[in-house]
């Protein structure tokens, strides 16, 4: 158990809908990262938050957004969902240093029908 | 469990033998490298890391080798056990560019009893 929690574990929804994925980082970690894992693209970095502020952006679509709250949990919002958004979404957390290990949560499996 | 990737290279190894997993990275400015293990239905789990000022680092039953000249990373697992069956990912980071991890495509390791 990495100490990172994600809910829900599975999510099934329809095209055009909006969903919210939730992540709680390890105790004491200020950085939260979101990654998408699909069969054809592998693990792709989406976005990073540090202590409530956006720190880095990767291959995140404009239909997707994220935020980190004062209690350090983070939410990833996916809107106008398309079939191609079906994937595993992972959250990771780390400490402040730039070699601090990123610990991954168990993921949320999103299926868009 | 979920399938991480349908077209991953696969390494079949006899239980008790040593495994070597290879990874070619792309960014010559990357200076921090990590190996993750992902079991079916779970998030990536940290195995070992190495900084670019080193060429070898050992952990418990694992060794990572780094060859910056040819941009190659390898993970050696000694006395491979059935519990080592998983998908293994290398990841790279350019620390000056932030904490974003760039993942390789992954290698599936199957341990035969």
């Amino acid at each position: 158990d990495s100490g990172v929690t994600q809910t829900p574990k599975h999510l099934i929804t329809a095209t055009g809908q909006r969903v919210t994925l939730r992540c709680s980082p390890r105790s004491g970690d200020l950085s939260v990262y979101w990654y998408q894992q699909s069969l054809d693209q592998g693990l792709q970095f989406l976005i990073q938050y540090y202590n409530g502020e956006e720190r880095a952006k990767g291959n995140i679509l404009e239909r997707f957004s994220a935020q980190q709250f004062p209690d350090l949990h983070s939410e990833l919002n996916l809107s106008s969902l398309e079939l191609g958004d079906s994937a595993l979404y992972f959250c990771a957390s780390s400490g402040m240093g730039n070699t601090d290990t990123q610990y991954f949560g168990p993921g949320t499996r999103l299926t868009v029908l | 469990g979920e399938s991480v990737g349908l077209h991953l290279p696969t390494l079949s190894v006899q239980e008790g033998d040593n495994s070597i997993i290879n990874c070619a990275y792309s960014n010559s400015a990357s200076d921090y490298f990590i190996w993750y293990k992902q079991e079916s239905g779970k998030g990536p789990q940290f195995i070992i890391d190495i900084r670019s000022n080193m060429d070898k680092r050992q952990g418990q039953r694992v060794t990572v080798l780094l060859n910056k000249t040819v941009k190659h990373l390898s993970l050696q697992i000694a006395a491979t056990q059935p519990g080592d069956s998983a998908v293994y990912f290398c990841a790279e980071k350019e620390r000056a560019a932030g904490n974003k991890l760039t993942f390789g495509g992954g290698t599936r390791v199957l341990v035969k009893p």
Side-chain angles (χ1 to χ4, degrees):
Chain A
D1 184 358
S2 67
V4 178
T5 61
Q6 289 187 249
T7 57
K9 188 170 176 60
H10 299 280
L11 200 48
I12 301 174
T13 188
T15 55
Q17 295 298 304
R18 172 189 167 94
V19 297
T20 297
L21 313 183
R22 184 188 169 104
C23 167
S24 291
R26 293 188 321 151
S27 177
D29 283 355
L30 298 179
S31 279
V32 168
Y33 312 78
W34 287 97
Y35 291 85
Q36 179 193 59
Q37 186 175 42
S38 59
L39 290 179
D40 57 346
Q41 293 289 323
L43 268 159
Q44 299 274 322
F45 169 75
L46 294 178
I47 196 163
Q48 177 201 356
Y49 276 81
Y50 174 77
N51 202 20
E53 304 269 333
E54 183 184 302
R55 181 59 64 94
K57 241 178 181 176
N59 301 320
I60 188 166
L61 300 171
E62 286 192 12
R63 300 183 285 109
F64 297 180
S65 65
Q67 53 185 330
Q68 187 179 25
F69 295 87
D71 67 352
L72 300 177
H73 92 271
S74 178
E75 293 181 354
L76 179 67
N77 301 296
L78 315 176
S79 62
S80 303
L81 284 167
E82 302 175 359
L83 295 178
D85 297 327
S86 295
L88 279 162
Y89 291 85
F90 289 104
C91 168
S93 75
S94 76
M96 295 170 51
N98 60 12
T99 55
D100 281 12
T101 301
Q102 290 184 28
Y103 292 93
F104 282 76
T108 293
R109 163 71 77 179
L110 173 66
T111 302
V112 182
L113 301 175
Chain B
E2 295 90 350
S3 173
V4 172
L6 297 179
H7 305 293
L8 291 175
T10 299
L11 174 67
S12 290
V13 59
Q14 202 70 38
E15 181 179 356
D17 287 352
N18 296 335
S19 303
I20 299 177
I21 307 162
N22 295 303
C23 175
Y25 64 93
S26 54
N27 183 4
S28 56
S30 290
D31 53 7
Y32 181 63
F33 305 87
I34 312 102
W35 280 99
Y36 282 92
K37 170 187 179 183
Q38 188 175 22
E39 297 173 277
S40 183
K42 297 185 178 181
Q45 175 189 354
F46 171 84
I47 302 174
I48 192 168
D49 59 2
I50 188 168
R51 301 186 189 198
S52 59
N53 61 352
M54 304 171 70
D55 53 21
K56 180 179 179 179
R57 190 166 188 223
Q58 289 185 287
Q60 188 177 14
R61 274 200 315 120
V62 294
T63 300
V64 55
L65 299 177
L66 174 63
N67 185 330
K68 295 181 290 294
T69 303
V70 295
K71 293 191 286 187
H72 184 267
L73 197 64
S74 68
L75 178 70
Q76 301 177 2
I77 305 174
T80 311
Q81 301 169 359
D84 295 327
S85 291
V87 177
Y88 290 80
F89 293 95
C90 66
E92 60 182 294
K93 179 162 71 176
E94 181 185 346
R95 286 179 287 167
N99 282 346
K100 161 193 159 181
L101 289 175
T102 300
F103 281 83
T107 297
R108 189 182 306 277
V109 171
L110 294 175
V111 181
K112 297 177 289 186

